[in-house]
Amino acid sequence: MLFIVLLPEGIAAVHTAGKNQLQKSFNLSLGSALASIGLTIPAVAMISLYADLSLTMGIDIKSTVLFLLCLFVLVLSLSTGKTSMLQGIVLLVLFAVYLFTIVFL
């Protein structure tokens, strides 16, 4: 379900990045993620309340460390007002490490 929400804006973000419009691509990506979080979490919470199910929202220590690392990289890249390819690549590597820890660890 999450992919259905993120797919159209994700495709648009990739196309704008291909046209070298990185700020628009960044804005599309953040807007898509914010909309997904803002709509999905309350919907799941309401369903869990209605169905009388327990809802646990949390991440393990590995994911927390990677999340804090990503936040650190984002603060560094956004504090200058401009982002570079290197900062984007670092974030992609962190995402790949996150996916690797989910699948193999």
Side-chain angles (χ1 to χ4, degrees):
M1 183 173 133
L2 183 63
F3 290 114
I4 294 171
V5 175
L6 295 176
L7 192 62
E9 289 182 352
I11 291 171
V14 169
H15 283 297
T16 55
K19 295 178 185 176
N20 205 17
Q21 299 174 344
L22 295 180
Q23 186 63 47
K24 286 182 184 179
S25 174
F26 192 67
N27 290 344
L28 281 167
S29 300
L30 284 179
S32 176
L34 185 62
S36 176
I37 291 168
L39 295 173
T40 304
I41 291 175
V44 170
M46 291 295 205
I47 290 170
S48 70
L49 286 174
Y50 179 74
D52 198 28
L53 299 170
S54 65
L55 177 66
T56 304
M57 297 175 66
I59 56 176
D60 59 350
I61 191 69
K62 296 178 297 192
S63 300
T64 303
V65 169
L66 286 170
F67 174 70
L68 292 175
L69 211 62
C70 287
L71 280 179
F72 178 70
V73 172
L74 282 172
V75 166
L76 287 179
S77 64
L78 294 177
S79 65
T80 61
K82 290 187 175 187
T83 58
S84 67
M85 279 292 261
L86 179 63
Q87 293 160 337
I89 291 170
V90 168
L91 286 171
L92 286 175
V93 167
L94 287 172
F95 180 64
V97 169
Y98 176 70
L99 288 178
F100 179 80
T101 59
I102 288 174
V103 173
F104 295 109
L105 298 179

